[in-house]
Amino acid sequence: MSAAPPISILMPVRDAAAHLDECLDSIAAQTLVDYELLVVDDGSRDAGPARVASRGRRDPRVRLLRRPGDGLVSALNHGLAVARAPLVARMDGDDRMHPRRLELQARALQSHPDWALVASRVRAFPQCASGAGTREYLRWQNACTDPDQVARQIYVESPFTHPSVMFRRDVVRGLGGYRDGPFPEDYDLWLRLHAAGCVMGKLPETLLEWRQHPGSLSRTDPRYSRDAFDTLRAWYLCRDPRLDPGRPLVVWGAGRRTRLRLRALQRAGRHPWAFIDIDPRKIGNRVGSVTVHPPGWLALQAPRPFVLGYVASHGAREAIADALEGMGYREGDDYLMVG
């Protein structure tokens, strides 16, 4: 091994002993063998740290870093500060890596020096624990691969599963690392990278098996709630240069759920000029002082307004995109979809 390896695997853990051996075995089986594994223990009360320490005595690539239990973001930033390698691969202690994950992601970043981050497609397991929402999310996420597609769909959902990414250490450090707050720390980082003009891509291979269980933070922590995602998206949307403040803003979706979710955007300072809906019972109504129009109304507007497809259903988003494209609107230039 070199004194400074090419890859640091950053893996915060807390009470992860139940599945830790599977995860560590998948890392040990990597075809790219020159790495350091930084296991940042965030105040575990189980046997996990002892197992990592035992591995470290047999394998000098494995390093156990102990923290007092300050939380995930603190653990991530501590590992990021300690990481020696120019590339950082995220991992969680209950997931599994494909044997070629490090090799293929490192090769992609070497081949694309303009990329700040590369992820991969993901498979959820066990299948019996994966609900319809998770399956639909991964269907969308696994189809969102090339950098242009990621940039156009960055506000739909988080385009990457956190433990599937590899990024350039100095780029993330230069943006201040992970931020702590009432929002998902990974999605905030992707949005910050996007706002900074960084290019992010995804490999077509499935290189991570993402374990599903009811106790995961994404299901229990309010930082991963629908409202937290809506508020975070709205903050970045309002600052996205594609939403020119001098261009009228139209929101597609006038139902109650859309109006509730739109409040985050309005609190951030952007208000719709018009609403679009396909429900004939809503057309012609007013939401506050704003009129609801049918989709065809958009084809008559000159100059074109900027449209936000503010609907949660993946199928509805695809239908809206098809309708807008048929009227000559172009994703990224004239409209964006919002999850």
Side-chain angles (χ1 to χ4, degrees), residues 258-273:
T258 296
R259 297 198 307 272
L260 288 173
R261 294 174 53 237
L262 190 62
R263 289 177 182 175
L265 188 70
Q266 293 171 315
R267 287 195 299 268
R270 294 304 302 269
H271 300 274
W273 175 60

Side-chain angles (χ1 to χ4, degrees), residues 82-271:
V82 171
R84 297 180 296 152
L87 302 179
V88 174
R90 271 285 288 112
M91 189 60 177
D92 283 343
D94 54 357
D95 297 331
R96 300 189 299 228
M97 287 187 184
H98 185 280
R100 297 187 68 197
R101 177 198 167 178
L102 298 183
E103 173 198 347
L104 294 177
Q105 290 190 313
R107 183 186 300 171
L109 289 175
Q110 290 162 3
S111 301
H112 300 281
D114 58 323
W115 287 17
L117 176 152
V118 63
S120 76
R121 286 175 169 163
V122 171
R123 183 183 75 83
F125 79 104
Q127 189 171 4
C128 61
S130 301
T134 297
R135 292 194 297 272
E136 179 58 25
Y137 168 56
L138 286 182
R139 183 200 66 78
W140 169 80
Q141 189 196 90
N142 285 336
C144 182
T145 53
D146 71 80
D148 287 342
Q149 199 175 14
V150 169
R152 292 193 305 269
Q153 299 191 27
I154 190 77
Y155 298 113
V156 173
E157 302 277 4
S158 174
F160 315 121
T161 299
H162 197 177
S164 78
V165 306
M166 180 183 288
F167 54 75
R168 300 189 192 278
R169 178 198 63 193
D170 289 348
V171 173
V172 173
R173 281 181 177 176
L175 290 176
Y178 289 89
R179 290 200 312 152
D180 204 356
F183 45 74
E185 80 293 330
D186 53 347
Y187 193 24
D188 172 70
L189 180 57
W190 320 149
L191 289 166
R192 220 166 349 123
L193 286 163
H194 171 73
C198 296
V199 180
M200 297 176 283
K202 184 183 295 176
L203 298 181
E205 294 86 1
T206 300
L207 302 178
L208 180 82
E209 293 183 294
W210 185 33
R211 189 181 299 273
Q212 301 298 296
H213 53 84
S216 64
L217 285 177
S218 61
R219 299 187 184 188
T220 61
D221 194 306
R223 290 175 297 176
Y224 305 97
S225 68
R226 167 63 67 183
D227 185 62
F229 272 87
D230 286 343
T231 301
L232 183 69
R233 268 190 288 255
W235 195 92
Y236 283 96
L237 260 174
C238 285
R239 291 155 180 82
D240 193 309
R242 292 175 291 187
L243 272 71
D244 182 351
R247 188 176 182 182
L249 182 65
V250 171
V251 170
W252 190 312
R256 180 176 178 275
R257 291 178 64 185
T258 296
R259 297 198 307 272
L260 288 173
R261 294 174 53 237
L262 190 62
R263 289 177 182 175
L265 188 70
Q266 293 171 315
R267 287 195 299 268
R270 294 304 302 269
H271 300 274

Side-chain angles (χ1 to χ4, degrees), residues 20-83:
L20 192 56
D21 286 335
E22 282 184 74
C23 173
L24 294 171
D25 287 345
S26 76
I27 295 172
Q30 291 298 295
T31 56
L32 191 157
V33 299
D34 193 3
Y35 61 80
E36 65 175 358
L37 170 59
L38 304 177
V39 181
V40 187
D41 177 56
D42 187 35
S44 292
R45 295 164 295 179
D46 64 7
R51 293 184 188 178
V52 174
S54 176
R55 296 242 183 179
R57 288 190 288 270
R58 303 191 304 271
D59 185 347
R61 298 174 299 179
V62 180
R63 301 172 61 192
L64 175 64
L65 307 175
R66 293 188 178 273
R67 299 291 293 166
D70 294 335
L72 175 60
V73 171
S74 178
L76 286 167
N77 283 330
H78 179 72
L80 193 59
V82 171

